[in-house]
Amino acid sequence: MQRLSIGELSERSGVPHSALRYYESQGLLHSTRTDGGQRRYHRDALRRVGFVRVAQEVGLSLTEIREALSSLPDDHAPNEQDWERLATSWAPRIDHQIRVLERLRDRLVGCIGCGCLSLKVCRIVN
């Protein structure tokens, strides 16, 4: 089975080498090493990198992402049901973030318009 070099993974995922090395140091990705010490990634690393990026956009911490990834199978590439289970578990969090952002948007218009510039009165801060 052909494995991806860090350069290939970086190019195909759009994630810089440095971020891939960081993800690996945080236990989010795993690689094997060649006799020359070069990293090699299984092809499912592409999906895992995509997962990490989306999870970060959702607002999950690296600890939460690591926990989610640890629930995926090690003996084969995650299937559609594995990914769907994880994505579904995020729905409440995403819904909450949407509500928070909508409240912020609605308050921001009023705050800028009132010109109070007071941390004691400001509806965004309070």
Side-chain angles (χ1 to χ4, degrees):
M1 171 187 312
Q2 183 182 1
R3 299 203 175 244
L4 301 171
S5 69
I6 193 167
E8 291 168 324
L9 183 57
S10 176
E11 183 178 323
R12 292 182 64 184
S13 67
V15 175
H17 297 81
S18 57
L20 295 174
R21 285 190 292 273
Y22 180 72
Y23 290 167
E24 191 171 345
S25 75
Q26 297 300 304
L28 305 175
L29 284 178
H30 304 285
S31 68
T32 57
R33 298 290 180 135
T34 66
D35 291 339
Q38 296 176 337
R39 288 176 169 87
R40 292 293 185 258
Y41 298 91
H42 189 272
R43 291 197 175 276
D44 77 324
L46 282 167
R47 286 194 177 131
R48 288 177 185 264
V49 170
F51 176 87
V52 170
R53 293 180 75 189
V54 169
Q56 287 177 313
E57 287 182 26
V58 168
L60 270 66
S61 69
L62 291 181
T63 300
E64 291 170 311
I65 296 168
R66 186 174 27 267
E67 288 172 6
L69 286 171
S70 72
S71 74
L72 296 175
D74 284 332
D75 58 341
H76 64 277
N79 60 32
E80 185 177 341
Q81 290 80 23
D82 294 322
W83 294 118
E84 184 176 338
R85 177 181 45 79
L86 288 175
T88 301
S89 71
W90 293 350
R93 183 184 193 121
I94 293 169
D95 291 341
H96 172 74
Q97 285 182 268
I98 289 170
R99 288 190 301 275
V100 167
L101 288 171
E102 286 174 338
R103 270 195 315 272
L104 177 61
R105 177 201 59 213
D106 295 345
R107 290 177 177 172
L108 185 60
V109 170
C111 187
I112 290 172
C114 83
C116 70
L117 302 177
S118 167
L119 293 180
K120 291 181 183 176
V121 179
C122 182
R123 293 186 336 181
I124 290 179
V125 175
N126 299 316

